[in-house]
Amino acid sequence: MTTAPTALRRTPDTTLDVLHRIEDRVLWLSSAIVHHANRVRPNPSGLKVGGHQASCASMVSIMTALWFRHLRPEDRVSVKPHASPVLHAINHLLGDLDASYLPTLRAFGGLQSYPSRSKDPDTVDYSTGSVGIGATATIWGALARRYADRSAEEGFKGRQYALVGDAELDEGAVWEAVLDPQVADLGELVWIVDLNRQSLDRVVPNMAAGRLHGMFAAAGWQVITLKYGNLLDQLFERPGGAALRARIDRMSNPEYQRLLRCSAGQLRERLPGTGAEAPAIGALLAETDDATLMEAVRNLGGHDLPALDAALSEVDDHRPTVIFAYTVKGHGLPTQGHPQNHSSLLTEDQMRQLAAEVGADPDNPWQGFPADSAAARLCAETGARLRRDPVRQMAPPAMPTDTGRTPTGVATTQAALGRTLLDLTRTAPDAARRVVTVSPDVSSSTNLGGWVNKVGVWSPTERVDWFADDAETILHWRERPTGQHIELGIAETNLVGLLGELGATWSRWGEPLLPIGVMYDPFVNRALEPWSYGIYAGGQSILVGTPSGVTLAPEGGAHQSITTPSLGVEQPGCTTWEPAFALDTEWTLLAALSRLGRPDGSSAYLRLSTRPVDQTLARVPADPAARERRRRQVVAGAYPLRRHDDAKVTIAAMGAMVPEALAAADRLQGLGIPADVVCVVSPGLLYKAMDARAGNGEAPDWILDQVFPARRAAPLVTVLDGHPHTLAFLAAIHGVPARRLGVTRFGQSGSLAEVYRHHGIDTDSIVAAALDLTE
């Protein structure tokens, strides 16, 4: 890649000199961090390390202005993924990151590829990396902070900044979040869009900034456009300046970017254009010296510290704000403006050229400012100003393991969710007050109605319930600051984004919450990425998918989830349970709640059903000790539901399929083939137990001895309302022959019996599979 012409980079205002020196050092450090990872550190494998010097360079001025002029300790910042070296460079200058980490970008145990709240050694407020999620996280972080305020001893204050790459605005999840009705009131939100108008492969022909401006404004945001810097503004005031501005405003992105690769002479040829205003523009350029002209064409608002300072001072705290900061990708680097500079790396010679321009030592790249210099003093003062008090960890209230209720009659696991939450308000009110539920406009259809009536709906201010006196209104929508249910629009990505932030308040603010998000199980797939990202970032929460599976028979294939059981098994940092009975739901929900809001905590996923099941089939032991043994087994992943001394086959069933498994066992008994029936509640925990027994990882394995003892090893039929591979590993516990029943194709509408028969998970299919294994 050829080198762009060098231009003056420092504005003449001496009062800005110290900030410019810091800006230069941030540019150098961020570039050197990437350079060292790719060209200096040994790389025996030869695999690409990667990094984004150009993407960092476009953010240097913005982040310098924000950190050294406007940021406060109570503020939080989400940094766009590819600018992580800029964040680490600033943290180093502020004394928050030792120089020994600077050469470790993308090395094992070193600085992560993208900002990571849980894995980086320095202060990172939000994990970013998946496009759009880091930006929207500030929205949910603001809501979570406001919710936590209601129970805090003193109110939390501070802005939520998001430094957003312009390409991130292509993500639909961004607009789902921006358009949620609650967002327009979040005045603490400030998004700064790095409008460099380049993607990975090219200069974007038309960023349509005006359209983006209108979309944010229509959503109630204050919109500030920071297009030109002070030097260009001064040129625009001179004769011919208005024509120059009009010419640049009309210019396409690619044409403007090409100017960045031109010499001063080429600029004088290209910039006037061919229109009627060309002579006036040419005359203005003729009166401008080469150095000023070269600097002016790069003098966009996102690189002008006074302009950035002014824009950040205009933020209106009564509504969200977005600042569109025009920038040059690779600003200040030899690769600036090149259409393929996204992942380009400076050569050794180019790094030395950059060092000479910014006053750095390429042979001692991490050298700090002289201790007695003004730049060193400002870094120290800023570091002291932004230093945060350690978060005081508050242990969440004690959680009961059993409310003492034994369900009878016919019930569903979905209904048991709401019943357990109501019971919790009676048996453990302190813990219940920490529970916050979230749903995307499906509260009543997921059996949260009783809970919502009991605790109310959260709102920053109390609102009138105009249907409170309507006798036919069953679900009472009382909105108030003490409410414990948050309702969002129908956007599952929003729900899990908020869920992750509510689940992080214990570590962010010292306020442990117990968040439960409820959505239709088929749409867990839609929310999978931000849900996983929330867990990665340290959010601890419970996701409830209900109703689930092809058991939603009349709903048809579009609403019948198939893969979600295995997704829960495979998700790191999460335990999945699929209870068969109401009491199993209570026990697993309480166990999941007990693991939230603590340093050693974890998330959970519960897959529930709307199938009515006779609760006497659970055969809950009456003896207290036996009941507790059953509870421990349920929470650990499985329990024996039926035993025969001379069993010839074992049927391991999960969730809604347990009634079919029991019916199949009855029929097999009549055929002279006794069958054990095991109720699997958590395939993930069973898999971990089996893996630990083989020497892989650490997990308790006692549950295997109690549920699948070696002396009872027999051919195995597994069945679940989901993909059969979820339980396929169970046969490996003792190496027995097995048949695996489940759902492997899209469903269709029909009665429960028809749909089960269609997928081969009905009682007949279970009996047939057992006969195949035993005859």
Side-chain angles (χ1 to χ4, degrees):
M1 187 173 293
T2 59
T3 299
T6 302
L8 292 176
R9 300 177 48 257
R10 181 170 291 110
T11 58
D13 190 342
T14 56
T15 61
L16 296 175
D17 186 63
V18 176
L19 273 179
H20 279 302
R21 290 182 186 279
I22 292 173
E23 178 187 28
D24 284 346
R25 187 56 55 91
V26 172
L27 176 64
W28 166 257
L29 287 174
S30 59
S31 300
I33 288 170
V34 178
H35 176 76
H36 194 283
N38 286 273
R39 300 200 187 277
V40 180
R41 192 171 68 221
N43 183 12
S45 71
L47 295 175
K48 173 187 173 183
V49 176
H52 302 84
Q53 290 173 326
S55 295
C56 287
S58 66
M59 288 297 302
V60 165
S61 304
I62 293 171
M63 294 177 68
T64 299
L66 180 59
W67 259 262
F68 289 88
R69 289 282 296 160
H70 290 268
L71 206 61
R72 302 168 298 175
E74 62 267 28
D75 298 332
R76 297 295 182 266
V77 188
S78 171
V79 177
K80 79 170 190 176
H82 291 165
S84 64
V86 183
L87 175 62
H88 298 310
I90 289 176
N91 281 342
H92 168 64
L93 292 176
L94 299 183
D96 188 38
L97 181 67
D98 189 78
S100 61
Y101 281 103
L102 299 181
T104 69
L105 179 70
R106 303 190 175 204
F108 186 78
L111 301 176
Q112 298 301 295
S113 303
Y114 309 119
S116 173
R117 184 169 178 264
S118 58
K119 296 182 181 296
D120 274 319
D122 51 339
T123 299
V124 176
D125 292 330
Y126 286 98
S127 295
T128 61
S130 190
V131 173
I133 291 178
T136 58
T138 56
I139 293 177
W140 315 125
L143 278 175
R145 194 176 199 178
R146 287 194 179 200
Y147 185 92
D149 268 351
R150 72 194 189 102
S151 57
E153 293 181 1
E154 54 186 39
F156 296 109
K157 308 296 180 185
R159 290 177 178 170
Q160 298 276 347
Y161 290 94
L163 308 181
V164 187
D166 51 14
E168 293 191 79
L169 299 183
D170 291 342
E171 286 291 333
V174 168
W175 299 105
E176 287 183 351
V178 166
L179 293 174
D180 192 273
Q182 299 196 57
V183 176
D185 295 326
L186 299 178
E188 62 266 51
L189 284 178
V190 181
W191 285 16
I192 306 174
V193 180
D194 171 18
L195 204 68
N196 60 52
R197 306 169 308 290
Q198 279 190 240
S199 64
L200 190 150
D201 295 323
R202 60 174 182 159
V203 176
V204 179
N206 182 10
M207 276 302 298
R211 177 166 53 85
L212 294 173
H213 182 295
M215 292 167 71
F216 274 101
W221 290 51
Q222 176 191 22
V223 182
I224 298 173
T225 299
L226 190 56
K227 190 169 185 178
Y228 300 118
N230 289 328
L231 182 56
L232 267 176
D233 282 339
Q234 291 170 16
L235 281 180
F236 295 155
E237 293 297 320
R238 292 166 55 182
L244 175 62
R245 179 167 193 152
R247 161 81 171 123
I248 295 176
D249 282 343
R250 291 194 303 267
M251 200 176 286
S252 70
N253 289 331
E255 183 180 4
Y256 185 83
Q257 295 284 91
R258 182 63 184 89
L259 297 178
L260 303 174
R261 312 290 300 169
C262 292
S263 65
Q266 292 170 327
L267 284 175
R268 297 182 198 282
E269 294 176 4
R270 290 173 176 261
L271 196 49
T274 59
E277 298 170 333
I281 298 173
L284 173 61
L285 300 184
E287 297 173 357
T288 306
D289 63 81
D290 287 357
T292 301
L293 179 58
M294 292 287 288
E295 177 65 15
V297 79
R298 293 160 177 78
N299 183 226
L300 298 181
H303 301 301
D304 190 288
L305 293 179
L308 285 163
D309 188 60
L312 288 166
S313 299
E314 293 176 17
V315 171
D316 178 2
D317 284 327
H318 296 92
R319 54 177 172 158
T321 297
V322 60
I323 300 173
F324 287 105
Y326 280 72
T327 61
V328 173
K329 196 164 186 174
H331 184 260
L333 302 181
T335 57
Q336 61 186 324
H338 195 284
Q340 280 87 52
N341 68 6
H342 181 79
S343 298
S344 65
L345 298 170
L346 300 189
T347 65
E348 182 67 31
D349 288 343
Q350 288 173 330
M351 284 296 293
R352 290 187 174 276
Q353 173 191 342
L354 177 63
E357 292 177 2
V358 301
D361 183 355
D363 298 317
N364 187 9
W366 322 124
Q367 184 179 32
F369 291 115
D372 60 347
S373 67
R377 288 195 296 273
L378 180 57
C379 287
E381 292 167 3
T382 303
R385 173 172 57 81
L386 295 180
R387 193 161 295 123
R388 301 169 182 170
D389 294 330
V391 176
R392 292 181 296 174
Q393 295 293 336
M394 178 190 299
M399 186 67 59
T401 58
D402 189 338
T403 67
R405 181 187 296 274
T406 303
T408 58
V410 175
T412 71
T413 55
Q414 177 179 283
L417 168 70
R419 179 72 262 172
T420 301
L421 291 176
L422 287 174
D423 284 345
L424 195 63
T425 64
R426 171 180 53 84
T427 59
D430 289 342
R433 279 191 286 271
R434 293 279 171 177
V435 173
V436 51
T437 55
V438 187
S439 69
D441 197 31
V442 293
S443 302
S444 55
S445 57
T446 53
N447 281 100
L448 285 180
W451 164 259
V452 171
N453 286 344
K454 174 76 173 179
V455 301
V457 178
W458 178 80
S459 174
T461 58
E462 188 156 356
R463 297 176 179 172
V464 176
D465 179 8
W466 293 104
F467 290 88
D469 59 346
D470 187 337
E472 296 183 5
T473 298
I474 299 175
L475 181 62
H476 299 289
W477 211 252
R478 293 189 292 269
E479 298 178 87
R480 54 199 179 192
T482 58
Q484 292 179 241
H485 176 75
I486 302 177
E487 188 94 340
L488 300 174
I490 301 180
E492 286 78 12
T493 56
N494 288 353
L495 179 140
V496 295
L498 177 55
L499 202 60
E501 289 304 317
L502 288 168
T505 56
W506 67 274
S507 57
R508 287 195 190 279
W509 323 116
E511 283 291 326
L513 298 176
L514 309 177
I516 303 172
V518 182
M519 68 170 66
Y520 289 167
D521 192 67
F523 307 133
V524 168
N525 283 301
R526 184 183 297 173
L528 185 59
E529 184 191 9
W531 175 51
S532 178
Y533 225 85
I535 296 174
Y536 167 80
Q540 299 171 9
S541 61
I542 299 171
L543 180 64
V544 178
T546 183
S548 62
V550 300
T551 299
L552 270 168
E555 293 285 347
H559 279 181
Q560 296 171 355
S561 53
I562 296 172
T563 61
T564 49
S566 58
L567 292 176
V569 173
E570 296 157 10
Q571 174 60 49
C574 178
T575 301
T576 181
W577 286 287
E578 185 168 342
F581 300 103
L583 190 53
D584 297 353
T585 304
E586 176 193 303
W587 286 339
T588 54
L589 180 61
L590 293 175
L593 287 168
S594 72
R595 301 179 185 183
L596 301 180
R598 51 196 345 120
D600 59 346
S602 62
S603 294
Y605 164 49
L606 269 65
R607 190 173 187 254
L608 305 183
S609 172
T610 50
R611 183 185 183 183
V613 174
D614 180 1
Q615 298 301 299
T616 63
L617 295 176
R619 297 183 178 181
V620 179
D623 180 80
R627 178 186 175 105
E628 172 59 17
R629 184 173 187 266
R630 165 71 71 83
R631 187 199 66 80
R632 292 181 66 245
Q633 290 174 336
V634 167
V635 172
Y639 58 95
L641 194 52
R642 185 174 297 180
R643 291 290 203 205
H644 284 279
D645 291 338
D646 54 349
K648 300 295 190 295
V649 67
T650 299
I651 303 172
M654 189 163 76
M657 302 314 304
V658 167
E660 275 63 36
L662 291 171
D666 290 339
R667 285 175 52 184
L668 288 168
Q669 180 71 23
L671 295 171
I673 305 175
D676 282 350
V677 177
V678 171
C679 182
V680 175
V681 187
S682 176
L685 291 177
L686 296 182
Y687 182 83
K688 288 180 180 178
M690 190 183 77
D691 221 25
R693 180 164 288 186
N696 299 320
E698 297 183 2
D701 63 356
W702 58 266
I703 189 64
L704 300 180
D705 294 328
Q706 291 193 8
V707 180
F708 297 103
R711 69 181 184 279
R712 302 190 67 84
L716 180 68
V717 177
T718 62
V719 59
L720 74 154
D721 185 357
H723 199 283
H725 83 77
T726 308
L727 299 180
F729 71 92
L730 293 176
I733 295 175
H734 297 301
V736 298
R739 288 289 303 276
R740 293 159 289 273
L741 307 181
V743 182
T744 59
R745 50 187 169 160
F746 289 115
Q748 60 184 39
S749 299
S751 69
L752 201 62
E754 291 170 328
V755 171
Y756 282 1
R757 184 165 55 250
H758 172 73
H759 290 287
I761 56 176
D762 58 332
T763 300
D764 284 350
S765 297
I766 299 172
V767 171
L771 291 174
D772 287 344
L773 290 170
T774 56
E775 291 185 350

